[in-house]
Amino acid sequence: MTSIRFALNHMAAPSLAIDDFFALARSLGIDAVEIRNDLSDNAILDGTKPEVIRQAAARHGLTITSINALQRFNEWNATRAAEAQELIDYAGASGAKALVLVPKNDGTGCADGERQANLRQSLVALKPMLEEAGILGLVEPLGFEICSLRSKTEAAEAIKELGAQSTFRLVHDTFHHHLAGEAATFPELAGLVHISGVSDSSVAVADMRDTHRVLVDADDLLDNTGQVRALLQAGYNGPFSFEPFAAEVHALKDPAAALRASMDYLSARV
């Protein structure tokens, strides 16, 4: 049996201060975490210096797998370049190994030809920025129908065409993989896996949203166990990071117990 290397995204317990979040990860035997730049009143948005994050991670014996995320990365312009540089600098100073790259998700830039051109333009621009800092770029296709990059195949093709496999990897998100309906998984290019489940059987796949994303249990509709098992069997040995967005998960009084139960559920089935 192959064991799962679990990681913890701050979205699993977004109300916890960074030090308490790191302590939660350690209490679960997890040694890798993802920090975010979209949590109000929390690091990074609250102005926490990257050196403080670095010191806290070291104190808890944690690796910061990534900062999540540069939004609209495939709409390259001066604003995006400045945002990218700021996040890459923060990643370097905080000790984060990678920056997650999230595409436009508003129904624009979806046309065939336009999608691929925009993606390549952004990868070409980001490549030297990431390489200079020694930071990995983690491209995360989103399965939503309005997203400008739904396909891991398109992302993988662009990365390979640019010969940029040492700079960019893919995020395999079990939720978005299910929504996109794409069979290909690209374990050799995967740098991170996000795991979350959907247990509400009343919602159609096309209507699934972040608010439906809970911890994986026996009611999961996304075949997380099958996806995780397939990735492990194909040779993926990176982290599987919990990323639930549902309010009911965020409201848990004992997130450690819920996370432990989900870890045990998945571990017993792969």
Side-chain angles (χ1 to χ4, degrees), residues 123-146:
L123 295 180
V124 166
L126 281 162
K127 187 171 182 283
M129 298 169 71
L130 291 162
E131 286 173 352
E132 185 179 349
I135 303 295
L136 203 60
L138 295 171
V139 179
E140 182 168 22
L142 306 183
F144 301 124
E145 291 178 4
I146 60 169

Side-chain angles (χ1 to χ4, degrees), residues 1-246:
M1 187 176 95
T2 309
S3 62
I4 306 174
R5 270 184 63 205
F6 287 110
L8 204 58
N9 188 299
H10 205 161
M11 192 53 76
S15 63
L16 291 183
I18 201 79
D19 204 68
D20 295 330
F21 167 62
F22 287 175
L24 170 65
R26 286 308 326 194
S27 75
L28 294 164
I30 288 172
D31 64 2
V33 290
E34 290 185 89
I35 60 175
R36 304 185 66 93
N37 65 328
D38 60 355
L39 300 180
S40 55
D41 302 322
N42 215 326
I44 301 166
L45 281 187
D46 66 356
T48 299
K49 294 282 184 268
E51 294 77 16
V52 173
I53 304 278
R54 179 190 281 272
Q55 291 159 8
R59 198 162 56 245
H60 291 281
L62 293 167
T63 296
I64 301 175
T65 297
S66 78
I67 292 179
N68 195 328
L70 175 63
Q71 299 289 337
R72 303 178 72 89
F73 89 93
N74 58 341
E75 179 182 57
W76 199 255
N77 51 39
T79 301
R80 202 70 59 247
E83 290 172 351
Q85 192 61 61
E86 187 177 341
L87 281 167
I88 289 168
D89 290 346
Y90 197 102
S94 66
K97 306 295 185 192
L99 174 61
V100 175
L101 306 171
V102 174
K104 288 194 297 179
N105 188 44
D106 59 5
T108 65
C110 296
D112 197 32
E114 182 185 12
R115 286 195 316 270
Q116 297 88 340
N118 287 344
L119 172 62
R120 279 160 180 74
Q121 179 189 16
S122 293
L123 295 180
V124 166
L126 281 162
K127 187 171 182 283
M129 298 169 71
L130 291 162
E131 286 173 352
E132 185 179 349
I135 303 295
L136 203 60
L138 295 171
V139 179
E140 182 168 22
L142 306 183
F144 301 124
E145 291 178 4
I146 60 169
C147 185
S148 58
L149 179 60
R150 299 184 74 199
S151 163
K152 285 190 290 296
T153 300
E154 279 187 14
E157 285 173 353
I159 291 168
K160 289 174 181 175
E161 276 178 27
L162 294 171
Q165 293 96 319
S166 60
T167 308
F168 297 103
R169 292 279 190 280
L170 298 177
V171 177
H172 178 111
D173 185 298
T174 58
F175 172 80
H176 289 299
H177 181 75
H178 187 83
L179 266 61
E182 183 179 29
T185 58
F186 301 97
E188 77 287 353
L189 264 182
L192 178 65
V193 176
H194 282 153
I195 47 177
S196 60
V198 174
S199 56
D200 183 352
S201 58
S202 69
V203 60
V205 172
D207 296 325
M208 289 179 180
R209 296 294 180 264
D210 281 340
T211 50
H212 297 111
R213 297 171 65 175
V214 296
L215 294 172
V216 180
D217 59 17
D219 296 323
D220 178 44
L221 303 171
L222 308 182
D223 189 28
N224 268 271
T225 53
Q227 290 190 52
V228 170
R229 192 183 305 119
L231 285 163
L232 289 170
Q233 289 174 351
Y236 174 75
N237 62 359
F240 290 82
S241 183
F242 285 102
E243 194 189 31
F245 284 81

